[in-house]
Amino acid sequence: MLEKADQVFVLLLHWLVGYLPAAWRPASGVLLCVVAIIAVYPTLFALAVLLERKGLGRMQNRYGPNRVGPFGILQPVADGIKSLTKEDIVPFNADALVHFIAPLMLVVAVFMGFAVLPMGRNMVLVDLDASLLFFFAMGASTELSVFMAGWSSRNKYSLLGAMRAVAQMISYEVPLLLSTVGVVMITGSLSLVDIVDAQNRYTWGLAHWNVFKPWGLAGFAMFVIASMAETNRSPFDLPEGESEIVAGYFTEYSGFKFALFFLGEYVGMFGIAGLGTSLFLGGWSSPLAVLSWVPSWIWFFSKVMVWICFFIWVRGTMPRLRQDQLMNFAWKFVLPMTLLNLLVAAEWRFVADMWLRWIAGMVIVVGAYVLMGRVGMRREHFGPRTYRYAE
Amino acid sequence: MLGEGILKGLAETAKNFAGSYVSKDRLTTVQYPEERIAPIEATRDFPFLVYDGEDWQAGLRCVACQICEKECPPKCIYIEKSKDKKPDYVGKPQIYPARFDIDISVCMSCQICVEVCPFEAIKMDTVFELATEDRFGGLLLDRSKLAKSNEYYHTIHPTEAAEVDARLAEEKAKVEAKARAAAEAAAAKAAAAPAAGAPAKTEPPAVKPAGGAE
Amino acid sequence: MSVVFFVLTAMTLAGALAAVLLKNLVHCALSLTVAFAGLALLFLELDAQFVAFVQILVYVGAVAILVVFAILLTRSAETPKAGGVFSRTWLAGLSVAAAVFAVLGWAVLESTPWLPQTTEAPAADVGQIGEALMSRYVLPLEIVALLLTAALIGAVIVAMHEKDGAQ
Ligand code: SF4
Ligand code: SF4
């Protein structure tokens, strides 16, 4: 019975596909999975937006939306109807074609990433050999659509936002990639399915999640930071800093295209949360051996939702960074930490002694953290400000 | 150590998050249509015209001097003078506004009209639920909509209204005293000068009280 | 050779041609990206997943962005006036291009047996690529790494120098 519950979606798929002629089965199976992904994540998106608005409200001692439906739970529906029925305005000077393609490209690239995420036992659309790389490749192509959106709008705020976004994404992509390399080194595979399988083992009832190891912990922390920056989440939301540049690269978008950007941003967040979950938090595996009877997909989605809640929590807590702080943080703290973490991972791989590798790993990670926090992040003291006025 | 401040901040927001479910005091939001805060005396938004007595048409204090119309920065007041006259609060016959419109979609609530009015005839209101489906006619308030009684003025701005009443009463008393003095002087003169030929002067200010300033 | 192959080739060629022929520089850069993506898909068609993903990650994700940045930071993206697009040294450019093409063509002709291969395509999974890089090709890899590090340091020095000059 529990076995059935665990595999309910897989069985459902087989059952549905079973009605079709044999020749059509593979293609229609893939199609059904795609439809499922396209249906599930926007629903989660609506849920996340609601959670975000309510949660942020509560953190600021407000109620949050509570008018549409009981406790405001229908707010996303109202938002959706509103954005779908709004007029689609394209600026007169805009590059109409590029302006049109940009949001589509973003959403497509973002959704492509889910193809390789294992969302449960046997629940992965394509089990690629290099699925981690595929995910990052898709993530990298969102940058271009951001640039296209900003450039084609012919608006200085859009362009500034796009430049900020691209600079930030490029800077944080390096630590994001490097923070995952440790996992790849230890697991010896770029396939997310293998990585999750490797973590689905238990010692004394406790799972072998990567985050429970020194290199995993450091990698996890750096991954979280870099993923916030990659998805333009607060405190790294300079590209859409509304107090400075209106809405950044999607200033000139309205109606459905704006909704697409919004969707893309959140779905990208789910993607990166799912990736982080698979890499460090054991994907669909349960933390304790005694809880293994809970269906795997429940584990995966609840981990993703916890991750999203953490993002919301951070957003409610931290103010926005300044551009120079952002870059300093990326290049002087996150990047060196991830590089050092490679060393720790190598040490973990090659030191056989159980205790020695734990102690050495912890010492390097904690020592580097403290040292780099002291030295690298020393506050710069600016002199008295001078202003030059435009002539 | 790096990150300490972040952890502290996270703890703070978590406290707020949880606390807002536990204690009502944290939530400062007033859920407007169902809950309301008690009216605040200093509130002001749009002007209205004060009238005395029961009948708003008879009791309007405004004498259509058009000062407010001239001073209003966005020019949202429109006044037409009447042809006939009616007595004001001291009983002096005055013209009155045959038309007095304020376009509150233009009014910027600056209160200049109130400050310049020499007759305490225009005051600031506190109503705010003025939403309407007709964006032109619905927001153009005419005399009948603008006229509100002095009692209403007392309920929304008690302190200010009391001051205004005191001032008006004082003025009225002064006028009456002056009239009395003039009458007495005339009487004394008439008595002191038995010689004929002294013209019986009629004082211009009418002494008999008119239907104003109760 | 399948339909997919021809579609992808057409897409790649169209992108590359557009990159050369379009007037607006940003449009050129964007069509270049289309060509890059087409190449990546061709690799995928050839079952070379790793190369395909790296192609997207590096070329679409980084090189295209760099190109675009360079365009925006150095000169305006305005369309140049008619007649201003042709360089005066087009002859030299043409000969360099011809030489490069000749070398590439020679290499291709020399290396590929000009007959359709009947043996099974070698499966090049990530593990094999990694092993090859770390054993047989370790020297080139290290040389490239050294070169890139030098470039990185050079870029940092250039940037530092500018900052000093500004102060
Ligand atoms: S409201 Fe006052 S200032 Fe305006 S016309 Fe009437 S009396 Fe004059
Ligand atoms: S409050 Fe100001 S804007 Fe409004 S009617 Fe009076 S003078 Fe005009």
Side-chain angles (χ1 to χ4, degrees), chain A residues 65-80:
Chain A
N66 63 354
R67 294 282 141 172
V68 192
F71 300 106
I73 53 169
L74 294 180
Q75 185 68 35
V77 180
D79 287 347

Side-chain angles (χ1 to χ4, degrees), chain C residues 4-167:
Chain C
V4 180
F5 175 79
F6 283 110
V7 170
L8 290 180
T9 320
M11 172 182 153
T12 312
L13 283 181
L17 276 179
V20 184
L21 296 177
L22 286 181
K23 282 249 167 99
N24 188 322
L25 273 181
V26 175
H27 283 169
C28 295
L30 292 179
S31 10
L32 189 65
T33 323
V34 174
F36 287 153
L39 268 185
L41 291 176
L42 276 175
F43 283 133
L44 210 57
E45 165 80 0
L46 294 172
D47 260 348
Q49 283 179 6
F50 184 78
V51 191
F53 300 154
V54 169
Q55 166 88 13
I56 292 184
L57 189 61
V58 174
Y59 281 87
V60 179
V63 173
I65 296 284
L66 275 188
V67 170
V68 156
F69 251 73
I71 290 171
L72 286 188
L73 292 183
T74 48
R75 52 184 286 181
S76 67
E78 306 285 288
T79 317
K81 307 238 167 5
V85 275
F86 290 105
S87 161
R88 264 173 294 137
T89 52
W90 62 273
L91 201 63
L94 194 66
S95 42
V96 169
V100 171
F101 188 75
V103 169
L104 280 180
W106 174 78
V108 170
L109 285 182
E110 279 296 293
S111 61
T112 320
W114 202 234
L115 284 171
Q117 257 183 332
T118 43
T119 52
E120 207 169 298
D125 70 352
V126 188
Q128 284 170 342
I129 293 176
E131 261 153 38
L133 276 181
M134 278 297 149
S135 52
R136 190 169 161 208
Y137 298 104
V138 70
L139 190 65
L141 184 77
E142 287 304 319
I143 292 173
V144 169
L146 204 65
L147 191 71
L148 288 179
T149 314
L152 193 68
I153 294 173
V156 170
I157 287 176
V158 169
M160 267 164 64
H161 197 68
E162 253 173 31
K163 201 178 166 193
D164 286 343
Q167 273 169 0

Side-chain angles (χ1 to χ4, degrees), chain A residues 95 98 105 128-131 133-134 136-138 140-141 143-144 147-148 151 154 159 162-164 166-167 170 173 177 190 380, chain C residues 24 26-27 30 33 44 49-50 52-54 56-58 60-62 64-66 68-69 72-73 77-78 124-127 163:
Chain A
D95 198 315
V98 182
M105 225 180 97
L128 286 178
D129 205 19
S131 47
L133 214 57
F134 175 82
F136 283 130
M138 289 305 128
S141 34
E143 282 163 31
L144 203 70
F147 169 80
M148 281 161 67
W151 176 78
R154 291 288 154 88
L159 191 59
M163 293 297 254
R164 282 185 182 191
V166 170
I170 288 205
E173 200 167 79
L177 272 162
L190 275 170
E380 278 187 49
Chain C
N24 188 322
V26 175
H27 283 169
L30 292 179
T33 323
L44 210 57
Q49 283 179 6
F50 184 78
F53 300 154
V54 169
I56 292 184
L57 189 61
V58 174
V60 179
I65 296 284
L66 275 188
V68 156
F69 251 73
L72 286 188
L73 292 183
E78 306 285 288
D125 70 352
V126 188
K163 201 178 166 193

Side-chain angles (χ1 to χ4, degrees), chain A residues 54-63 66-67 310 313-314 316-318 329 333 369-370 372-374 377, chain B residues 1-4 6 9-11 13-14 16-17 19-21 24 26-35:
Chain A
K54 292 219 112 182
L56 280 185
R58 287 292 174 167
M59 281 173 207
Q60 297 157 2
N61 289 330
R62 295 183 285 111
Y63 284 101
N66 63 354
R67 294 282 141 172
F310 178 70
W313 187 11
V314 169
T317 305
M318 276 191 263
F329 189 57
F333 181 76
Y369 180 80
V370 172
M372 245 175 287
R374 280 274 157 78
M377 291 286 99
Chain B
M1 209 167 81
L2 186 71
E4 233 171 291
I6 294 174
L10 287 175
T13 37
N16 275 332
F17 181 82
S20 70
Y21 284 101
K24 259 290 198 175
R26 281 174 174 272
L27 295 160
T28 49
T29 313
V30 178
Q31 306 239 52
Y32 158 61
E34 296 95 39
E35 298 169 17

